[in-house]
Amino acid sequence: MNSELTDPRTGRLRGTAPVSREPEVAAAVAAARTALDAWSALTPKDRARRLDRLATLIEDSAAEYAVRERAGTGKPDAETAGEIEQVADLFRFFATAARTRTAPAAGRLVTGHESWVRWEPMGVVGVIVPWNYPLMMAAWRCAPALAAGNTVVVKPAETTPDTLELLAEHAARTLGEGVLQSLPGDRRTGRLLVGSPVDMVAFTGSGQAGLDVAARAGTRRISLELGGNAPAVVLPDAPADTYASLAEAATYNAGQSCAAPARVITLTENYEETVARLTEAMGARLAGRDFGPLNNVDQVARYDSLVASSSAKRQLAADLAVPPGEEHGHWRAALLLADLPHDDPTVTEEVFGPLLTVQHADSVEAALSLANGVPQALAASVWTTDLGTGLDLAARLDAGEAWLNCHLVQTAELPHGGRGSSGHGTDLSTLALQEYQRPKTVTVRLTPGPCES
């Protein structure tokens, strides 16, 4: 059974991909289970060496990864190149992180006994990743899971299986057979993977799908990143580059990023200036030149429906710069919505497109209330030259990641994760290793027992 693949830049058929069902899922999980003992038995140093070889192979094959990533996503070359570089860095980072982590308290904590904590892998991890960052989101999940000693079966989104197929081939060469496998397919494939005898599920995707994963996973550990709806609180004394920075972040990957700025919130006294400057900044970002298309027809339909349902009195769209021959792709212009109610669908829901809404409040406290007034709580930013006020607001924003005078600035060393309906768990940083390990306390009696001499 195969599914058709479409080029998002042209809308035309570009090939097919297999759709895995019960036999393929069972075989992949069984292979991962077979590989688990040998992989988990390696010392952290030996696992690190193999992960480092995988990172080198990714770098050496960057051009091939870029072709595949562009085919599935339509991303511009600069975006693709940067993400591939980050993927190689992630595998190297976690290879080292697994060698340097420390355990909880150990020693003679009970009289006559010595205790310590072992960190053990969860086992076989089922990973499900979305289409907006096919390779990078897989690396966010797979790199710490592998470094912690787990084996992984990862299901890419139905529309973007290309780069994970190559990653699995390279993993087989550098890590060993069965250690990291790609399982192409559709939503049913993902449900089959969750229902299979994996020991843990790591899922990145929509809130509704995340709830389904949680229900199917039962008592097994799950790690969920379920999207965002990030506010950007812009105060009247915001730096001069605020508006261009927000426009760039909002249109990166055509806005198809869970942490992208989505809701600009400013004070009433600064509202008209903010709308004017954001209109100019968004107008300078051209789809086809500065950012790519939406990924698939379902996302296009959802985006168009949300925009059509908005009661915004001002809808300010930029121009398009679509290359010749790509006029029928999934292109959408950068769009600014203003003069809209606080319960507008484009405010309360994750739009996932090159769109910014602008709201205003009469006070900083009211602006903070608006920022924290949606169920999603993944990321947020504050823009002000008053660092004291900015740091205070960053601390009070309900978000797993907050930026001050920047947005979408991330690195492997810093954790990323959500709250509320954005899910739970940690990606990136040494903290992510704990997602894929479980502690075991070992205590040894040192003093002789009553019957011992």
Side-chain angles (χ1 to χ4, degrees):
M1 179 180 177
N2 290 322
S3 63
E4 293 185 341
L5 300 176
T6 301
D7 183 343
R9 300 183 70 90
T10 65
R12 293 193 290 268
L13 181 69
R14 64 180 182 87
T16 62
V19 176
S20 303
R21 287 292 180 255
E22 286 88 345
E24 293 81 10
V25 173
V29 174
R33 185 71 61 191
T34 298
L36 178 62
D37 285 347
W39 178 252
S40 61
L42 293 173
T43 64
K45 179 177 70 174
D46 288 336
R47 278 200 300 272
R49 286 174 173 172
R50 298 192 189 193
L51 289 167
D52 186 69
R53 287 199 291 268
L54 176 58
T56 298
L57 189 52
I58 291 169
E59 290 172 333
D60 292 344
S61 308
E64 186 175 358
Y65 277 102
V67 169
R68 291 183 179 228
E69 191 81 348
R70 182 179 173 87
T73 65
K75 294 175 186 281
D77 292 338
E79 289 186 13
T80 302
E83 289 167 21
I84 293 168
E85 182 180 348
Q86 289 182 55
V87 167
D89 179 64
L90 280 166
F91 280 105
R92 284 211 175 90
F93 172 81
F94 281 107
T96 301
R99 298 183 65 184
T100 59
R101 64 168 299 144
T102 57
R108 297 193 179 184
L109 307 176
V110 179
T111 301
H113 297 75
E114 183 83 17
S115 302
W116 63 90
V117 175
R118 290 173 50 90
W119 284 99
E120 299 178 345
M122 296 298 299
V124 177
V125 180
V127 171
I128 301 173
V129 294
W131 41 255
N132 56 330
Y133 296 103
L135 184 62
M136 194 164 69
M137 289 296 98
W140 279 27
R141 295 300 196 171
C142 294
L146 292 167
N150 303 278
T151 54
V152 176
V153 178
V154 56
K155 193 204 85 66
E158 186 175 6
T159 60
T160 54
D162 311 79
T163 43
L164 287 194
E165 178 185 31
L166 183 59
L167 181 65
E169 293 174 6
H170 288 166
R173 290 165 52 184
T174 55
L175 310 182
E177 291 291 339
V179 176
L180 190 162
Q181 300 169 81
S182 177
L183 188 71
D186 55 12
R187 291 179 181 176
R188 183 180 168 192
T189 308
R191 296 188 185 104
L192 290 171
L193 179 59
V194 174
S196 72
V198 295
D199 300 296
M200 174 186 171
V201 177
F203 174 82
T204 303
S206 71
Q208 183 177 359
L211 292 174
D212 183 69
V213 167
R216 294 174 186 273
T219 59
R220 290 171 294 170
R221 184 182 295 184
I222 54 175
S223 178
L224 303 174
E225 203 266 59
L226 305 180
N229 191 2
V233 179
V234 178
L235 299 185
D237 64 345
D241 65 348
T242 294
Y243 309 95
S245 297
L246 283 172
E248 182 177 356
T251 55
Y252 183 89
N253 198 29
Q256 298 168 126
S257 174
C258 298
R263 302 176 293 127
V264 174
I265 301 166
T266 191
L267 300 186
T268 301
E269 64 188 82
N270 194 51
Y271 178 63
E272 287 301 331
E273 180 184 0
T274 298
V275 171
R277 297 188 69 172
L278 281 175
T279 298
E280 179 183 5
M282 291 288 277
R285 299 286 296 173
L286 303 183
R289 186 194 70 187
D290 301 310
F291 60 92
L294 299 184
N295 182 261
N296 56 77
V297 293
D298 289 341
Q299 176 58 17
V300 169
R302 181 181 179 278
Y303 177 81
D304 289 347
S305 176
L306 280 170
V307 172
S309 69
S310 175
S311 57
K313 294 178 181 177
R314 282 188 276 182
Q315 296 195 10
L316 307 165
D319 293 328
L320 295 171
V322 178
E326 298 184 355
E327 294 83 2
H328 299 293
H330 306 322
W331 302 98
R332 290 298 181 270
L335 180 62
L336 189 77
L337 301 183
D339 302 348
L340 73 176
H342 296 327
D343 62 352
D344 195 85
T346 58
V347 170
T348 60
E349 297 188 37
E350 183 181 33
V351 176
F352 229 55
L355 182 150
L356 279 175
T357 62
V358 189
Q359 301 168 269
H360 62 89
D362 291 335
S363 66
V364 172
E365 290 299 319
L368 181 66
S369 179
L370 284 179
N372 291 337
V374 299
Q376 306 92 346
L378 182 66
S381 61
V382 181
W383 301 79
T384 174
T385 51
D386 183 337
L387 293 183
T389 297
L391 289 171
D392 176 66
L393 288 174
R396 296 166 66 194
L397 283 165
D398 186 18
E401 189 166 7
W403 293 283
L404 178 54
N405 296 333
C406 57
H407 204 111
L408 284 186
V409 177
Q410 296 173 317
T411 181
E413 291 86 349
L414 296 174
H416 170 83
R419 303 173 177 182
S421 67
S422 289
H424 57 78
T426 300
D427 289 319
L428 304 179
S429 83
T430 57
L431 298 178
L433 289 169
Q434 295 181 9
E435 295 287 295
Y436 304 96
Q437 292 179 309
R438 50 191 173 183
K440 176 186 287 181
T441 298
V442 178
T443 297
V444 178
R445 188 180 68 188
L446 302 177
T447 57
C451 298
E452 297 178 57
S453 59

